[in-house]
Amino acid sequence: KITFFDMEIGSNGIADPGVSRLFSSFYNSGDGAFISNASWGRGYNGLYSSFCRDYDGALRSTYSDVLFVVSAGNTGVEGTAGTIQNPADCKSPMAVGSSLSYGDDIRSNEKGIEFLADYSSRGPTSDGRIKPDVVAPGHFIVAPNAEPNTEGECDGSKSPSIRRSIDVGSGVRYVSGTSMASPVVTGGA
């Protein structure tokens, strides 16, 4: 089973719904989904937070059979260590970093497909844990470019340009980030 949870608050961004509301929305007393993707993150001050304590506690007890897959964040800035963000720095979620892709999309300053993308957040966490837990393709992923109130716009009849990431195809575009890598892992689980 697959689940979606809309965290948007109008045009003001997203808000953390809280661990109980988020997990209970899909878990359904053990009869619902058991894998959840969180392609969102939040800044933090480098300490193990109450936010992490809440999520880790829930994933160890009430929701111990849930795989909570989260994006590592995009604050790696040319490989800077210690940039992992909430909830990827929590202990129980599976944190996913972004690897580079193969081909024309590798920029001259990047090392290649065997490495993290330069923007991908990475550990260690403030208490020394290694993060991200896994790495998946997240660089120039073809994604829907949906337009509200339009049907059939994601059919992809025109390919977007890799070279000019601002160019979009008919209903699709290239997007990069750990928010693209995390669903790759979630879908494979």
Side-chain angles (χ1 to χ4, degrees):
K1 294 180 181 179
I2 193 166
T3 182
F4 297 91
F5 190 94
D6 186 0
M7 296 173 54
E8 185 176 20
I9 301 178
S11 60
N12 296 324
I14 63 172
D16 175 17
V19 67
S20 295
R21 183 171 169 230
L22 177 63
F23 289 155
S24 66
S25 73
F26 65 82
Y27 188 77
N28 194 23
S29 301
D31 192 32
F34 292 96
I35 302 170
S36 177
N37 179 71
S39 285
W40 51 270
R42 41 189 268 152
Y44 77 112
N45 60 2
L47 302 174
Y48 186 74
S49 65
S50 61
F51 171 88
C52 280
R53 280 191 295 279
D54 291 346
Y55 276 78
D56 287 339
L59 288 165
R60 279 192 315 267
S61 60
T62 309
Y63 305 103
S64 61
D65 52 352
V66 168
L67 175 60
F68 190 41
V69 183
V70 301
S71 54
N74 301 318
T75 58
V77 190
E78 298 180 5
T80 305
T83 53
I84 200 86
Q85 296 184 344
N86 277 167
D89 68 328
C90 301
K91 295 175 182 176
S92 298
M94 178 184 286
V96 182
S98 176
S99 66
L100 294 172
S101 300
Y102 179 77
D104 293 341
D105 60 338
I106 295 179
R107 298 181 299 242
S108 62
N109 62 333
E110 294 174 330
K111 295 181 180 179
I113 62 173
E114 299 87 12
F115 297 88
L116 279 174
D118 61 353
Y119 54 80
S120 187
S121 296
R122 59 204 73 207
T125 62
S126 61
D127 59 358
R129 287 175 289 114
I130 304 287
K131 290 284 184 167
D133 300 303
V134 297
V135 176
H139 198 62
F140 287 111
I141 302 296
V142 177
N145 191 33
E147 297 176 20
N149 304 317
T150 304
E151 291 184 26
E153 81 282 9
C154 292
D155 294 338
S157 59
K158 175 186 166 199
S159 295
S161 169
I162 292 176
R163 293 275 184 204
R164 297 186 56 211
S165 60
I166 58 170
D167 287 347
V168 297
S170 296
V172 293
R173 64 184 174 145
Y174 281 99
V175 184
S176 296
T178 61
S179 289
M180 297 292 106
S182 184
V184 169
V185 172
T186 303

